[in-house]
Amino acid sequence: MAASPRRVVLAYSGGVDTTACIPYLRHEMGCEYIVAMTADLGQGDELEPVREKALKAGADVAVVVDAKERFVREFGFPAVAANAVYDGQYPLSSALGRPLIADLLVGLAHEYDCDAVAHGCTGKGNDQVRLDLAVALLDPRLAILAPARRWGFSRAETIAYSENFGIAPHVSKEKPWAIDLNILGRNVEAGLIEDLSWEPTEEVWALTQSAEAAPAVPEYVTIGFVAGVPVSLDGEPCAPLDLVARLNELGGRHGVGRVDMIENRVVGLKSRELYEAPALTLLLQAHRELENLVLPADVLTHKAPIEQAYAKQVYDGLWFGPLRQALDGFVGSLQQYVTGDIRLKLYKGVSTVVGRSAPKSMYRYDLVTYGPESAFNQDSAEGFIDIFGLPSRVWARNHGMVPEPELA
Ligand code: ARG
């Protein structure tokens, strides 16, 4: 049997569990060198105090990696191009962050000559699956340590364990639910949310206003795409992070992008999850609309199941796997055509498409109009239907769908 891992990079958030992981890795799991890695995915916390906390908890090295730009460009925008939504509702805001965190863990493991990576995920969630699978796909030689899957501590026991090391967290005003936040969205689960009949009160939400509290005056935004990538707002070029931040703000103000759903977790559980992802919601809506304008119907029909498979791959933690990458090839080959502008109207929790334009739009006014200038030859419709309807007539003859005497 291989010797147990000695040098480890831990994904460190600064929360109760990952903090307790540091002494646990050292004292119960025999790690002699611990690198704490905190990825800045736009969770909005001050990360220097988090870094210091890791050192105080006993990490040998603590690093903060600003990964916001990569997150949006390499994970968020490709998912938008794929119109990736899980279970019809979840825009994958949390799920998309995990392969990136895994990638950063693996990079640091190589840099610090580590033989393992670690995380603070429990055994019930999807994030453990995503991190474990992404690490396996990137470097299967690395061991994966997940103390919180092993220790069997209750919340109080985790805190008591931390107290032994003088790193007890301040939990006086702990929220009765769990939060995961990044620049692409916010997730709330557990605690009060587990009661399926409980309607979330307003303090659950942080990025969005309720529709009731949203302004009584609508606001408009035009999202411009070039080759499937959002590049401008209201005609002004806009860098990825700024674009996402502005759409979060705008959508949030108008109560757009809230989800309250029962989700099918990878580990077989159904769980209730709340999401707010205003920017992603608007981007997905606009991108889908633009594709509908520029791509032929048969391509759209074939893209739909690809999108679902793509979303499931992301959800299941298989970002770096061959299927997600192959699906990305299909999606990517079509994005060169997805250039244009979509105008949205935001009002009281709803975003509506109110304008569309694309230099290579397949919508042709001159063909579709009922006006006198129509270039569509209606006479040809008869011949088309004659041929298109041939199997229908044969079928009707064979299966008696018209009364017998008329068949002759
Ligand atoms: N259930 C969601 C998902 O699987 C959210 C996970 C949030 N993660 C967390 N550690 N709270 O994507």
Side-chain angles (χ1 to χ4, degrees), residues 90 92 94-95 98 126-127 130 178-180 187 189 263 265 271 273 275 315:
Y90 170 31
L92 297 163
S94 289
R98 269 55 194 190
N126 297 316
D127 290 330
R130 297 171 185 144
I179 294 166
D180 185 59
N187 162 263
E189 60 179 17
E263 178 175 306
R265 285 196 189 159
S271 68
E273 311 271 340
Y275 295 100
Y315 189 84

Side-chain angles (χ1 to χ4, degrees), residues 194-199 272:
E194 287 165 359
D195 174 356
L196 301 191
S197 61
W198 184 72
E199 179 181 351
R272 183 190 185 194

Side-chain angles (χ1 to χ4, degrees), residues 71-83 310 319 324 328 331:
F71 184 41
V72 169
R73 272 185 201 278
E74 294 177 31
F75 296 83
F77 287 174
V80 168
N83 299 329
Y310 191 105
W319 179 271
R324 205 281 309 170
D328 203 54
V331 170

Side-chain angles (χ1 to χ4, degrees), residues 175-398:
K175 292 251 159 69
W177 45 70
I179 294 166
D180 185 59
L181 174 65
N182 64 49
I183 191 172
L184 293 182
R186 181 170 174 272
N187 162 263
V188 188
E189 60 179 17
L192 286 179
I193 321 288
E194 287 165 359
D195 174 356
L196 301 191
S197 61
W198 184 72
E199 179 181 351
T201 48
E202 277 311 303
E203 74 256 23
V204 176
W205 307 101
L207 304 183
T208 53
Q209 300 210 76
S210 66
E212 291 92 327
V217 182
E219 235 175 312
Y220 295 79
V221 65
T222 300
I223 305 178
F225 291 83
V226 171
V229 178
V231 295
S232 68
L233 292 181
D234 295 326
E236 297 292 323
C238 197
L241 283 181
D242 190 31
L243 184 137
V244 169
R246 283 170 56 187
L247 288 178
N248 270 334
E249 226 265 307
L250 178 72
R253 185 160 62 246
H254 289 275
V256 172
R258 281 189 182 183
V259 174
D260 177 341
M261 69 186 286
I262 303 296
E263 178 175 306
N264 293 289
R265 285 196 189 159
V266 186
V267 294
L269 297 166
K270 283 189 189 284
S271 68
R272 183 190 185 194
E273 311 271 340
L274 309 184
Y275 295 100
E276 35 189 358
L280 263 190
T281 302
L282 297 173
L283 287 170
L284 286 161
Q285 181 184 27
H287 181 270
R288 188 184 292 277
E289 184 72 16
L290 183 56
E291 280 197 338
N292 197 29
L293 197 62
V294 298
L295 296 179
D298 59 348
V299 172
L300 293 169
T301 303
H302 278 81
K303 189 166 182 278
I306 300 278
E307 292 167 355
Q308 274 200 26
Y310 191 105
K312 175 124 176 75
Q313 288 284 298
V314 174
Y315 189 84
D316 287 355
L318 294 165
W319 179 271
F320 293 114
L323 179 54
R324 205 281 309 170
Q325 298 192 41
L327 298 172
D328 203 54
F330 178 91
V331 170
S333 73
L334 295 169
Q335 296 310 301
Q336 58 182 307
Y337 310 112
V338 187
T339 294
D341 295 316
I342 299 296
R343 187 162 169 77
L344 303 172
K345 174 180 181 175
L346 292 82
Y347 179 68
K348 293 282 181 195
V350 179
S351 165
T352 312
V353 176
V354 293
R356 312 132 169 104
S357 76
K360 298 277 167 65
S361 171
M362 288 191 73
Y363 171 85
R364 286 273 304 273
Y365 172 82
D366 58 334
L367 294 176
V368 78
T369 182
Y370 281 100
E373 64 276 48
S374 170
F376 185 92
N377 180 1
Q378 297 202 40
D379 291 346
S380 334
E382 258 174 47
F384 164 72
I385 297 166
D386 189 42
I387 304 294
F388 186 62
L390 190 106
S392 301
R393 291 195 298 278
V394 171
W395 179 268
R397 281 175 188 278
N398 288 350

